[in-house]
Amino acid sequence: MRLVLERVGHAFLGRAVLEDFDLSLAAGEVVALLGPSGCGKTTVLQIAAGLLDPLRGRVQRHYRRHAVVFQEPRLLPWFTAHDNIAYGLRAAGVARAERAAIVAQRAQDVGLSLHDLDKYPAELSGGMRQRVAVARALAVRPDMVYFDEPFTAVDVGLKRILQDLVIEAAAREQFSALFVTHDLWEAVRVAHRLLLLPRRADGPVVARAIAGEPGRRRERDIFALVEAWSADPAFRELFDGRESVH
Amino acid sequence: MVRRLMAFIGWAGRYVWSAWAGACGLLCIAAAWQGAHEFYGSFVLPSPVETLHEVAAILREPWFVRAAGETAVRSLIGFALAVGIGTLTGAIAGYSFAAMRLMRPIVTVILGVPPIAWIVLALIWFGSSGGSAVMTVVVAALPISFAGGLEGVATRDRALDAMARSFGGGMWLRFRTLTLPHLISYLFPAWTTTAGTAWKVTVMAELLSNTGGIGGELATARALFDIPRVMALIVAVVAFALLTEYALLHPLRDRLERWREAGLPWGVKR
Ligand SMILES: Nc1ncnc2c1ncn2[C@@H]1O[C@H](COP(=O)(O)OP(=O)(O)O)[C@@H](O)[C@H]1O
Ligand SMILES: [Mg+2]
């Protein structure tokens, strides 16, 4: 197991967000974490990535290096796309000369042209910025990647392309991933299995396996599965459109 | 390399070209000045041309060069101290809530004391040396840099900080790449204000403490009722202040903040 969360609990200002939450992620496995807005998905991700210390429970990480792709691109506005992609490498102490080659390779992986690398984030479109953020994460050769609703802000056509990019990279480089999303279709496309967080901290977590390998599933099957689960009472909270109140 | 050079020439050309608009503003002032001169006469207000002649005359005098040098050194030391101490303490206050609680009232008190009172105190403490001018500049200008440093650090982007931490970025890397560029955009207004203040306050302190420099010369010229010389000295000080801002600080800012320009749509670059 690359990542194990055991009986993790957390509360903000006394309001419980998570209770007794368990999660384990095997090598090369992509797990989608679903749930209505405000149910604590980002909190789980931050705890797993060590950005937030949980109040209760245990987190075990058995991997060399992780990377996080946030909901917003979180690029440094004063750095070019090239320097933004290189940021994780710089933090890891990779020499400048080596960085350039890795950046060029990763830019190509996510479909950025060499010409785009000299641009500042303000000169890039929203989709391109998120590509830069994905390239920055992949550049450090992580064996664990955390995605926090990374493609919420891009339009449907681009979303599919970016998802395929992630699916391809995960298969190629065998990293594990925790993919947070509130989009059932996205979860069914990118993940091996999914977890549905309840709105209330003490509610039941729904776990479902998704047949087939990400990237190998037929669009028809994906569509049928999304249809079936949309009608499933266990997934009701995902579609009732209410915000969580704890 | 050649591309870099071309880009630099292009930037320098645009920068110099933009001076035209500034020159127009200055000429409007000159026109108003000429009008006032024709109304009041040369004894009260010499014309711009007379003043320029006088400026040209004093520029050749050794005493003026020495006085200007003295004033420049004093305002530079005052500027450096005010900016250094102010920025440092402000940044510390931005990082630490306790430090902010402690330092805010001190700065408020410093702000509350009128500069003229500082000059009197400085005169008592430093006597008739350049120290009184320097101290006055520091006290008058320090709060601006303090506020800039405090705001800059306090408003740093926590989301970017979390991103850097997720990659294992250390304190020093995070300060250099995240906090500092953000801080600089807060510090530049503080620095330009301080630069202007430094010249003015130095001259004022020199005049009141009679410690040489342009302020000392101004006191002498006033005592002799040499109105053209008074005007010439004033014009010289203003020119120095403008020069510091537009020949030193603005180009520096443009170079450091090129990424900001990248975000502007075409045609609004300047
Ligand atoms: N730093 C914080 N301080 C206080 N409350 C927070 C904080 N972060 C999140 N919350 C609250 O915790 C709950 C879960 O948040 P989050 O994990 O961001 O939800 P999700 O990512 O599923 O939309 C929300 O009700 C949110 O208001
Ligand atoms: Mg979230």
Side-chain angles (χ1 to χ4, degrees):
Chain A
M1 288 292 142
R2 287 233 176 117
L3 174 77
V4 180
L5 266 62
E6 266 178 307
R7 300 178 63 87
V8 165
H10 197 74
F12 285 111
L13 313 168
R15 287 187 325 174
V17 174
L18 282 178
E19 260 171 42
D20 287 339
F21 180 75
D22 294 311
L23 167 72
S24 49
L25 258 165
E29 189 181 32
V30 178
V31 172
L33 188 62
L34 276 151
S37 168
C39 72
K41 303 183 295 294
T42 298
T43 308
V44 169
L45 181 135
Q46 286 184 328
I47 288 171
L51 291 171
L52 186 70
D53 290 324
L55 289 180
R56 285 178 299 279
R58 227 153 66 98
V59 181
Q60 297 172 52
R61 304 184 187 89
H62 305 290
Y63 53 76
R64 281 180 308 116
R65 189 176 284 162
H66 69 220
V68 185
V69 180
F70 296 91
Q71 189 162 1
E72 332 78 49
R74 300 205 185 177
L75 306 180
L76 312 190
W78 37 81
F79 278 2
T80 58
H82 178 283
D83 292 347
N84 268 293
I85 296 175
Y87 194 76
L89 296 169
R90 195 170 159 181
V94 177
R96 182 185 294 269
E98 282 172 63
R99 295 202 293 252
I102 302 174
V103 169
Q105 176 60 46
R106 290 308 181 179
Q108 200 190 342
D109 288 351
V110 300
L112 287 168
S113 70
L114 289 180
H115 176 68
D116 294 329
L117 287 179
D118 288 333
K119 291 182 178 166
Y120 289 97
E123 298 170 293
L124 298 172
S125 68
M128 273 150 92
R129 283 180 215 162
Q130 204 53 284
R131 283 176 202 253
V132 171
V134 172
R136 176 177 64 191
L138 297 183
V140 297
R141 286 206 145 273
D143 35 14
M144 179 76 190
V145 186
Y146 299 100
F147 294 93
D148 189 1
E149 306 196 29
F151 309 136
T152 312
V154 296
D155 61 76
V156 184
L158 193 53
K159 208 179 231 183
R160 182 189 292 268
I161 295 171
L162 292 172
Q163 287 163 1
D164 288 340
L165 241 150
V166 168
I167 294 168
E168 224 173 89
R172 186 176 63 228
E173 305 182 18
Q174 284 298 303
F175 57 72
S176 308
L178 182 64
F179 197 106
V180 168
T181 175
H182 63 240
D183 181 345
L184 186 55
W185 171 71
E186 183 165 73
V188 170
R189 286 200 81 217
V190 303
H192 292 101
R193 60 190 172 94
L194 66 80
L195 290 176
L196 179 65
L197 277 187
R199 171 166 290 135
R200 293 174 50 85
D202 52 4
V205 175
V206 177
R208 291 286 160 91
I210 307 166
E213 277 287 305
R216 300 260 178 75
R217 299 178 185 124
R218 289 185 307 172
E219 291 297 327
R220 267 178 40 207
D221 297 343
I222 293 172
F223 189 72
L225 200 53
V226 171
E227 283 282 277
W229 280 345
S230 301
D232 190 329
F235 285 80
R236 204 186 52 232
E237 279 186 347
L238 197 55
F239 300 103
D240 63 10
R242 281 188 296 137
E243 293 277 321
S244 299
V245 275
H246 288 278
Chain B
M1 194 60 220
V2 173
R3 233 180 76 199
R4 282 255 176 91
L5 190 70
M6 290 306 288
F8 177 79
I9 292 172
W11 168 82
R14 276 203 309 279
Y15 188 76
V16 171
W17 183 249
S18 69
W20 280 115
C24 287
L26 289 181
L27 288 176
C28 288
I29 297 178
W33 178 357
Q34 179 72 29
H37 155 75
E38 278 166 24
F39 191 78
Y40 291 108
S42 265
F43 184 73
V44 176
L45 187 66
S47 74
V49 177
E50 283 175 84
T51 308
L52 282 184
H53 277 300
E54 182 67 17
V55 169
I58 60 172
L59 276 179
R60 283 194 295 272
E61 309 251 3
W63 61 259
F64 176 77
V65 177
R66 198 177 25 95
E70 261 173 18
T71 305
V73 168
R74 285 168 191 170
S75 31
L76 191 70
I77 296 175
F79 175 83
L81 285 177
V83 162
I85 300 173
T87 307
L88 193 69
T89 49
I92 292 171
Y95 274 115
S96 150
F97 191 68
M100 185 186 79
R101 294 287 286 270
L102 189 75
M103 291 197 258
R104 264 258 169 86
I106 301 178
V107 172
T108 312
V109 167
I110 295 179
L111 266 177
V113 178
I116 199 79
W118 285 116
I119 296 182
V120 173
L121 284 176
L123 268 179
I124 296 168
W125 294 338
F126 292 95
S128 287
S129 74
S132 50
V134 170
M135 191 199 112
T136 316
V137 170
V138 172
V139 205
L142 191 132
I144 314 165
S145 285
F146 177 85
L150 173 64
E151 283 295 303
V153 172
T155 60
R156 71 191 184 280
D157 194 335
R158 316 272 163 149
L160 288 183
D161 212 55
M163 182 280 294
R165 276 191 290 122
S166 79
F167 282 110
M171 279 279 282
W172 175 231
L173 177 79
R174 268 153 44 212
F175 176 75
R176 258 184 321 151
T177 56
L178 303 179
T179 312
L180 197 61
H182 177 74
L183 186 59
I184 283 181
S185 60
Y186 276 82
L187 286 179
F188 257 108
W191 289 358
T192 43
T193 316
T194 305
T197 314
W199 279 104
K200 285 181 285 193
V201 173
T202 306
V203 169
M204 184 170 78
E206 283 171 346
L207 191 146
L208 291 171
S209 62
N210 211 355
T211 48
I214 295 185
E217 297 303 333
L218 210 51
T220 316
R222 192 205 60 156
L224 299 174
F225 269 105
D226 191 343
I227 312 295
R229 177 160 294 184
V230 171
M231 289 304 293
L233 287 167
I234 294 173
V235 167
V237 174
V238 172
F240 286 143
L242 289 180
L243 213 64
T244 322
E245 188 170 339
Y246 287 99
L248 233 64
L249 289 170
H250 277 266
L252 186 65
R253 170 195 217 146
D254 272 17
R255 303 305 294 169
L256 284 178
E257 302 216 310
R258 235 170 335 161
W259 60 273
R260 229 180 251 291
E261 200 178 326
L264 297 176
W266 284 100
V268 219
K269 296 243 156 167
R270 188 170 295 281

